[in-house]
Amino acid sequence: CKELAGDRFNIDLFNERKGEDDCISREEWSLIVQMYQDQGAAAAPPQLANEDEPVEDTITAYVAACLSMSEEELSDAAAQVRRAVEARENRLKTEAAAAAKNSDYSQSFSGSAADTKAEKDFGKMLGGDEGDGQQLAKFKDPELEPVVTPDDSPQYAQVRQAGQWIKALGAAGCYIYVHSLTHETLSLKPEDFGEDEAEAGAQEEDDGVLRCTPATLLDEIDRAVSEEKLTPLVIDTTGEDVMKTFFSYKGMVADISGLGLPLAAQRKAKIKPRDVMESARKTAVNAIKAGSTLALYLGEINGDISFQTLCKKDVLPFEIFQEAGKRMLTPPFPAPRCAKMFRDEDKEQGQVTFRDKFMMVVVSTLPVKEAMSELSKNLPMEHFKPMAISKD
């Protein structure tokens, strides 16, 4: 793993992704490394000067590069900063949740010294204070450096006018504003924040789909399942079936995408809905028994498919779309809902068995807008947490 990741090897990430046998497959680790590289954080922006140069020279060179950018380059820079900001805030949100979870505040009515420290760390995290440098140093993103202020350059006003303000949801749950060129972060809306920019920035937010980077997607899936009790709907727009490949290594994939083909194509490929759903049932049962993640791969299935008809109670119950599939594990007595899915050959000594770690995600490869409009026709979207991932 160290050889594959090089200087970017992260022991914490390895420990988080390894299996119960303390191992991780070469294929899975390579995929994770590739996903991180796709985020674009492997190299610093070319316009930045060498780290050994004085800060003043670095900023001077950076400002000159900004003022010589074309419209296309300015647009690309804004897109890169938006992705970097979203990644940063997601990381801070994850760390804040971990800090809150690790505190023992609930164990004491009035709190303790440990609680106070946890609260201070929590505040520092949300404020971007790195403290001793150990907490956030590994998350520094060159796409958000350098920060240019009026004291740093006499051409500050020109740089600020050349760029744009980006509105993003911060880790604390409030909106923040980050400039695409000066990299300043403000909690209050700046005076020169244009409404056109707001509409452009909010276009993705208004559709109800969480945009994720490859590095933060798995954390968002975990949060949707454990905290929000929702089923992750992962919209894979990479064009390379990245999520299907990932879950084939880190889980089990029930591929029912063939049902999205035209009837003529289904007949030619000898695809029968009954056989497809039976195969999905077997995969689901195996995932339930093993406590694995079940990825229900829809591919390009649209609203023409009636899941209410396909999802029979003794095959793949419609209830499996609730609570990331965990509803199927209840009630514990006299028998869980998933019992009807089990055949005699699936049972262990005549008993239905399952592991609590089981969960389900749904994967679609439709474009985001189409996925939201089409899948809402036949799927219980109120039980879903839509999130999109792209190659960028």
Side-chain angles (χ1 to χ4, degrees), residues 13-59:
L13 178 63
F14 175 83
N15 289 333
E16 178 183 349
R17 303 305 183 202
K18 68 184 180 180
E20 295 181 357
D21 57 354
D22 290 332
C23 295
I24 188 170
S25 70
R26 173 180 289 270
E27 292 83 2
E28 181 186 343
W29 183 256
S30 297
L31 179 61
I32 292 174
V33 171
Q34 183 62 45
M35 291 171 73
Y36 271 76
Q37 289 174 342
D38 287 344
Q39 189 184 359
Q47 64 266 30
L48 295 185
N50 189 287
E51 291 182 358
D52 295 332
E53 295 183 18
V55 175
E56 294 80 2
D57 293 344
T58 299
I59 293 180

Side-chain angles (χ1 to χ4, degrees), residues 124-184:
K124 287 181 179 180
M125 217 175 296
L126 295 185
D129 184 358
E130 297 181 26
D132 58 8
Q134 296 178 353
Q135 186 72 5
L136 300 176
K138 62 183 178 182
F139 290 144
K140 286 185 177 179
D141 195 324
E143 290 179 355
L144 298 178
E145 296 179 0
V147 176
V148 182
T149 68
D151 296 332
D152 297 324
S153 172
Q155 296 177 297
Y156 166 81
Q158 294 173 259
V159 176
R160 181 158 168 169
Q161 185 176 5
Q164 61 179 274
W165 287 102
I166 295 169
K167 181 181 179 182
L169 188 63
C174 302
Y175 283 109
I176 60 174
Y177 301 85
V178 182
H179 197 272
S180 62
L181 296 181
T182 69
H183 302 144
E184 297 167 286

Side-chain angles (χ1 to χ4, degrees), residues 28-105:
E28 181 186 343
W29 183 256
S30 297
L31 179 61
I32 292 174
V33 171
Q34 183 62 45
M35 291 171 73
Y36 271 76
Q37 289 174 342
D38 287 344
Q39 189 184 359
Q47 64 266 30
L48 295 185
N50 189 287
E51 291 182 358
D52 295 332
E53 295 183 18
V55 175
E56 294 80 2
D57 293 344
T58 299
I59 293 180
T60 299
Y62 174 75
V63 167
C66 288
L67 296 178
S68 64
M69 286 183 177
S70 64
E71 290 295 328
E72 183 178 356
E73 290 172 332
L74 288 170
S75 178
D76 290 342
Q80 291 175 0
V81 169
R82 175 177 292 279
R83 289 194 293 269
V85 169
E86 290 174 348
R88 180 189 68 185
E89 297 305 314
N90 281 334
R91 287 193 294 260
L92 291 174
K93 184 177 179 180
T94 299
E95 288 190 349
K101 183 177 181 180
N102 291 334
S103 105
D104 64 343
Y105 186 77

Side-chain angles (χ1 to χ4, degrees), residues 243-262:
M243 298 315 302
K244 181 181 180 182
T245 302
F246 178 80
F247 285 115
S248 68
Y249 291 118
K250 197 69 173 180
M252 300 183 186
V253 177
D255 187 348
I256 65 171
S257 60
L259 300 179
L261 297 173

